[in-house]
């Protein structure tokens, strides 16, 4: 399933600013995804496949009933699916939802796109055309419909093998924003994969490529819910790719959208690892599927929580069409994107000509400014700058931070002490969330509060069906209605 990369992503500038205020610290309230929770029935589906289960939390307590929302879009304007977990829908509304979901799918199936592709490459070079407005390969019968569009002619086989150079990157940062690796980062990844001995690559996150690759090379897939849109047949193709050719080394490479939640992504990658392990020999049962997860450095603690065997490389990944994520800039303008991997870092050589050196004490390559701390016994910098050790925090921190006697940790000089809150709502530790806390136990009081809230809301709620919208949207009067529309969910 190897394919050139056309990366999805989102700028996430606000989140980066929040992390700069204090790594791992969170707001007092928010929406959490419950990826490991058992549900009472079949998971409802939106146009992006099975939905995810969420709950709104305020200082460790679940405020409302759990609800389903889209796994792929973090803004209700892009996918307005909403359903309470315990809500019962009529057969008519379920049928209407099914019709709406089918209507939102691509106009052609993957099989139909493949048939068009073989016809396209059979055409003479002078008849191979690509519509830039519609982002579509054109057959002669299509020319009349696109005569007033901007059309590229003489599309070569080499161009078809690099569709990211034909397709315009999508620009909706909350759903399908696509950022393309620079040639520098592409070449580094390719050289590294080849040097490490891998000959097969499973790329997770290559959207809109259905018209360029066959069913054996590409699957239409949602990485946030492990959903194959072409059903079991596509799942078996993926399974076969992971398990075939024993002895040929394979690696999974993924560059998820930065607005996506780590929890569902980690669950997805674990499922790929489990599929890969099914056909491994008994000697390899303890091994993991090699993986490169490309993500911002400020998600390190969250990723390591799910994959303790992973480490973060110092290499800065940058993008052609992103104004901020560029290599070579200084300070906070440097790209925050790194590579998380379960491959031992001492086996990965970073290019000296780009400013990386080998630390003999850490036994890994680091950036030039990442100096070894004798107290921490590690090269501690995460962002390319030289960090300083705080004796009170007992760790290295960013050079611009100072120790706050009120908060009792290091932060920016102008941070707001009143808003500071550690990662876990229950115990206050920054390395895990409420649902992962060893002290977490839903109380009878919380359950009673939920039941009271259900009864109270049932008296204020009315159901309505709107044309072109989700068939199960609950409209609540006055301020409740306005508040719910502001919820945001992870993007794809």
């Amino acid at each position: 399933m190897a394919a050139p990369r056309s990366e999805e992503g989102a700028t996430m500038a606000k989140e980066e600013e929040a992390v700069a205020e204090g790594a791992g610290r969170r707001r007092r309230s928010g929406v959490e995804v419950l990826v490991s929770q058992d549900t009472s029935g079949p998971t409802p589906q939106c146009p992006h496949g099975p939905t995810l289960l969420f709950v709104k939390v305020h200082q460790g307590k679940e405020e409302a009933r759990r609800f389903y929302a889209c796994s792929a879009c973090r803004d209700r304007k892009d996918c307005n699916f909403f359903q309470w977990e315990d809500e019962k829908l009529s057969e008519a509304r379920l049928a209407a939802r099914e019709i709406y979901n089918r209507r939102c799918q691509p106009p052609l199936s993957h099989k139909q796109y493949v048939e068009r592709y073989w016809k396209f490459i059979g055409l003479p070079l002078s008849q191979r055309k690509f519509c830039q407005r519609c982002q579509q390969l054109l057959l002669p019968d299509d020319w009349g419909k696109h005569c007033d569009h901007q059309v590229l002619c003489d599309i070569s086989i080499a161009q078809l093998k690099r569709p990211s150079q034909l397709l315009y990157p999508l620009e909706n940062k909350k759903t399908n924003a696509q950022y393309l690796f620079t040639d520098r980062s592409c070449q580094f990844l390719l050289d590294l994969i080849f040097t490490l001995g891998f000959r097969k690559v499973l790329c997770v996150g290559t959207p809109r490529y259905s018209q360029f690759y066959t069913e054996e090379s590409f699957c239409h897939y949602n990485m946030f819910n492990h959903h194959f849109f072409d059903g079991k047949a596509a799942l078996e193709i993926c399974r076969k790719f992971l398990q075939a050719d024993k002895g040929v080394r394979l690696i999974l490479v993924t560059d998820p959208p930065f607005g996506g939640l780590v929890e569902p992504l980690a669950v997805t990658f674990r499922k790929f690892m489990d599929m890969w392990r099914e056909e491994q020999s008994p000697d390899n049962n303890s091994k993991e599927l090699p993986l490169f997860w490309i993500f911002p450095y400020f998600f390190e603690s969250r990723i390591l929580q799910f994959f303790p065997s992973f480490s973060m490389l110092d290499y800065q990944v940058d993008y052609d069409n992103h104004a901020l994520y560029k290599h070579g800039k200084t300070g906070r303008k440097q790209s925050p994107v790194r590579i998380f991997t379960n491959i031992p870092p001492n086996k990965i050589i970073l290019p000296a000509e780009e400013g990386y050196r080998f630390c003999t004490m850490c036994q890994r390559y680091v950036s030039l400014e990442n100096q070894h701390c004798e107290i921490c016994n590690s090269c501690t910098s995460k962002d390319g700058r030289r960090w300083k050790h705080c004796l009170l925090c007992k760790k290295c921190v960013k050079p611009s931070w100072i120790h706050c006697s009120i908060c009792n940790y290091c932060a920016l000089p102008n941070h707001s002490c009143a808003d500071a809150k550690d990662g876990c709502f229950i115990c206050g530790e920054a390395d895990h969330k409420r649902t992962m806390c060893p002290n977490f136990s839903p109380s009878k009081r919380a359950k009673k509060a939920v039941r009271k809230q259900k009864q109270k809301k049932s008296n204020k709620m009315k159901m309505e069906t709107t044309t072109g919208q989700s068939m199960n949207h609950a409209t609540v009067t006055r301020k409740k209605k306005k508040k719910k529309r502001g919820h945001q969910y992870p993007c794809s």
Side-chain angles (χ1 to χ4, degrees), residues 59-76:
Q59 294 189 1
K61 297 181 180 179
E62 297 183 3
E63 285 190 332
R65 287 182 290 174
R66 302 193 298 187
F67 61 92
Y68 291 102
C70 180
S71 66
C73 302
R74 71 174 189 265
D75 196 320
R76 290 277 296 280

Side-chain angles (χ1 to χ4, degrees), residues 71 76 91 138 177 199 226 335 394 422 452 482 491:
S71 66
R76 290 277 296 280
E91 292 297 328
L138 302 180
R199 295 299 179 264
H226 195 59
S335 172
K394 298 181 180 180
D422 283 341
K452 283 185 177 180
K482 183 177 180 181
C491 73

Side-chain angles (χ1 to χ4, degrees), residues 50-62:
T51 53
L52 294 180
L53 186 63
F54 294 88
V55 64
K56 188 169 184 180
V57 176
H58 181 71
Q59 294 189 1
K61 297 181 180 179
E62 297 183 3

Side-chain angles (χ1 to χ4, degrees), residues 101-233:
N101 289 348
R102 286 200 301 266
R103 193 189 310 138
C104 293
Q105 298 309 306
L108 299 176
S109 67
H110 192 187
K111 182 178 181 180
Q112 290 172 315
Y113 276 128
V114 171
E115 291 173 354
R116 286 176 56 88
Y117 176 81
W118 291 120
K119 292 179 181 178
F120 185 86
I121 63 175
L123 296 172
L125 182 62
S126 60
Q127 295 185 22
R128 293 185 200 149
K129 300 180 180 183
F130 178 79
C131 179
Q132 290 186 300
R133 179 193 292 186
C134 302
Q135 298 285 276
Q136 180 181 337
L137 298 174
L138 302 180
L139 298 177
D141 292 342
D142 304 321
W143 293 351
K145 302 175 185 177
H146 303 264
C147 58
D148 57 343
H149 298 180
Q150 187 173 357
V151 174
L152 295 178
C153 301
D154 301 336
I155 303 298
S156 66
I157 299 298
Q159 287 176 291
L160 293 174
K161 290 182 178 180
R162 303 195 69 180
S164 60
Q165 296 185 350
L166 288 174
L167 298 170
Y168 286 137
L170 298 177
E171 297 180 351
N172 187 338
K173 295 174 183 178
K174 293 183 179 180
T175 52
N176 291 312
Q178 296 170 312
Y179 299 115
L180 309 179
F181 290 144
T182 58
D183 288 341
R184 161 192 164 270
S185 291
C186 276
Q187 196 58 53
F188 169 76
L189 282 169
L190 288 171
D191 291 344
L192 178 60
I193 289 170
F194 189 82
T195 301
L196 291 172
F198 298 107
R199 295 299 179 264
K200 295 175 64 177
V201 181
L202 175 65
C203 294
V204 180
T206 50
R208 299 192 306 151
Y209 280 3
S210 296
Q211 60 179 320
F212 295 94
Y213 292 97
T214 66
E215 293 146 303
E216 289 73 30
S217 301
F218 178 87
C219 294
H220 187 196
Y221 174 77
N222 183 341
M223 70 172 73
F224 289 102
N225 54 16
H226 195 59
H227 176 66
F228 290 83
F229 287 88
D230 290 331
K232 291 184 178 180

Side-chain angles (χ1 to χ4, degrees), residues 176 297 400:
N176 291 312
Y297 71 82
S400 57

Side-chain angles (χ1 to χ4, degrees), residues 55-58 61-66 84 86 445-461 476 480 483-484:
V55 64
K56 188 169 184 180
V57 176
H58 181 71
K61 297 181 180 179
E62 297 183 3
E63 285 190 332
R65 287 182 290 174
R66 302 193 298 187
W84 296 114
D86 56 358
R445 181 180 177 182
K447 292 180 180 179
K448 184 178 180 181
V450 170
R451 287 196 299 270
K452 283 185 177 180
Q453 192 170 29
K454 287 182 185 179
Q455 185 176 2
K456 184 178 179 180
K457 286 189 175 183
S458 64
N459 297 328
K460 296 182 178 181
M461 189 177 301
V476 184
K480 295 287 184 179
K483 184 176 180 181
K484 283 199 300 190

